[in-house]
């Protein structure tokens, strides 16, 4: 969305005559002013939301959901409590929005890693590896693997996370089949099983006293699993 700062510095709307402003509520000048007001309000709303989510994300990652208060969120964001509750009904709603952002960022990471490889099967393996790498990040672990199930419940997490992830896996598996890298079979059941394995690997590493060592073992077993899938 363009902002006022992106408009040419020489651009100015000539002010309408004072009489036209009083007598013609639909004057071009007034319509333009109303559009600018709406756009400015939308920008302010977007900026406030971004400030809140950025602040909340940092606090949730550092202190966890339970250890973070709404007062800390609004203070860190530099907004009022009223502004927060204008956009979010509760701290849980803020957390859900933060989690949605995390999922979007993770999806981009996976897609970018996969795009560096040629062939659907190599892209699948790269995407799985990138997912596991991301899940070693303590911030990601705290928000997505530790707090999310406790705050939102397993059903809500499944609703937010599974459809898109299963869709991505199904699509790349179907391409691998078309390219001859994988025997043809129903792709969705396989996608669901792989997704479950990836999620469990991430959870085990997050809860392990030595996450790096645990994830190293998980990577080896995932590679064996993918090799078995490809050859059977």
């Amino acid at each position: 969305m363009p902002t006022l700062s992106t408009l040419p510095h020489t651009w100015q709307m000539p002010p309408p005559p004072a009489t036209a402003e009083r007598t013609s509520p639909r004057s071009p000048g007034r319509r333009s002013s109303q559009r600018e007001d709406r756009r400015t309000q939308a920008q302010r709303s977007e900026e406030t939301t971004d400030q809140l989510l950025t602040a909340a994300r940092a606090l949730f990652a550092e202190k966890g959901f339970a250890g973070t208060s709404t007062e800390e969120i609004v203070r860190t964001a530099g907004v009022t409590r009223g502004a927060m509750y204008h956009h979010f009904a509760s701290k849980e709603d803020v957390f859900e929005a933060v989690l949605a952002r995390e999922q979007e960022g993770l999806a981009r990471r996976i897609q970018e890693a996969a795009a560096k490889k040629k062939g659907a099967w190599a892209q699948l393996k790269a995407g799985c590896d990138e997912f596991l790498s991301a899940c070693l990040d303590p911030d990601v672990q705290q928000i997505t693997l530790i707090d999310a199930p406790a705050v939102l419940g397993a059903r809500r997490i499944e609703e937010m996370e599974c459809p898109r992830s299963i869709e991505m896996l199904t699509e790349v598996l179907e391409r691998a089949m078309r390219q001859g890298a994988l025997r043809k079979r129903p792709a969705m059941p396989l996608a669901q099983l792989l997704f479950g394995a990836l999620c469990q690997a991430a959870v085990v590493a997050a809860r392990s006293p030595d996450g790096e060592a645990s994830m190293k073992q998980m990577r080896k077993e995932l590679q064996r699993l993918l090799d078995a899938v490809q050859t059977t």
Side-chain angles (χ1 to χ4, degrees):
M1 180 180 293
T3 65
L4 292 177
S5 62
T6 64
L7 296 172
H9 293 300
T10 57
W11 181 93
Q12 288 187 7
M13 173 66 73
T19 54
E21 182 69 23
R22 287 195 300 268
T23 59
S24 178
R26 295 186 179 181
S27 66
R30 174 162 294 185
R31 289 201 301 270
S32 176
S33 177
Q34 290 172 342
R35 285 196 298 270
E36 291 298 328
D37 287 345
R38 286 195 296 270
R39 182 163 57 183
T40 302
Q41 289 170 1
Q43 289 171 348
R44 286 199 297 265
S45 178
E46 184 177 344
E47 289 169 1
T48 299
T49 300
D50 183 67
Q51 288 172 256
L52 284 164
L53 295 184
T54 300
R57 198 269 184 193
L59 290 166
F60 290 149
E62 179 186 356
K63 299 183 174 184
F65 177 84
T68 299
S69 67
T70 55
E71 289 78 7
E72 287 178 296
I73 293 173
V74 298
R75 183 171 63 249
T76 304
V79 303
T80 64
R81 285 177 62 85
M84 190 192 90
Y85 286 115
H86 176 74
H87 295 281
F88 301 100
S90 64
K91 188 173 74 166
E92 287 77 8
D93 282 351
V94 176
F95 181 86
E96 183 169 324
V98 168
L99 178 62
R101 273 193 173 188
E102 289 295 301
Q103 292 174 339
E104 290 170 4
L106 182 55
R108 283 194 299 271
R109 283 186 60 170
I110 292 170
Q111 290 167 343
E112 289 168 3
K116 296 176 182 178
K117 302 295 183 179
K118 292 184 178 180
W121 188 249
Q123 290 172 348
L124 171 67
K125 293 170 72 174
C128 290
D129 191 65
E130 185 65 24
F131 171 81
L132 295 179
S133 294
C135 290
L136 279 175
D137 184 330
D139 291 357
V140 173
Q141 290 180 348
Q142 183 65 49
I143 293 170
T144 67
L145 301 176
I146 297 173
D147 278 344
V151 175
L152 301 178
R155 182 176 294 276
R156 180 57 183 151
I157 297 303
E158 183 177 346
E159 291 172 350
M160 292 178 65
E161 187 175 279
C162 288
R164 183 176 183 180
S165 299
I166 298 298
E167 181 181 3
M168 289 172 62
L169 283 169
T170 300
E171 189 274 334
V172 73
L173 286 168
E174 289 175 341
R175 282 196 293 111
M177 292 176 195
R178 290 195 298 269
Q179 293 170 6
L182 192 64
R183 182 178 62 81
K184 290 186 177 181
R185 68 191 85 173
M188 184 170 287
L190 181 56
Q192 291 169 326
L193 288 171
L194 286 176
F195 180 64
L198 287 166
C199 290
Q200 184 62 17
V203 170
V204 169
R207 293 175 178 173
S208 172
D210 189 343
E212 290 280 355
S214 178
M215 186 62 82
K216 186 176 181 180
Q217 294 177 335
M218 291 295 171
R219 287 181 192 275
K220 288 181 180 179
E221 291 306 319
L222 178 65
Q223 183 60 56
R224 293 189 180 103
L225 177 62
L226 291 174
D227 289 343
V229 167
Q230 188 179 22
T231 56
T232 57

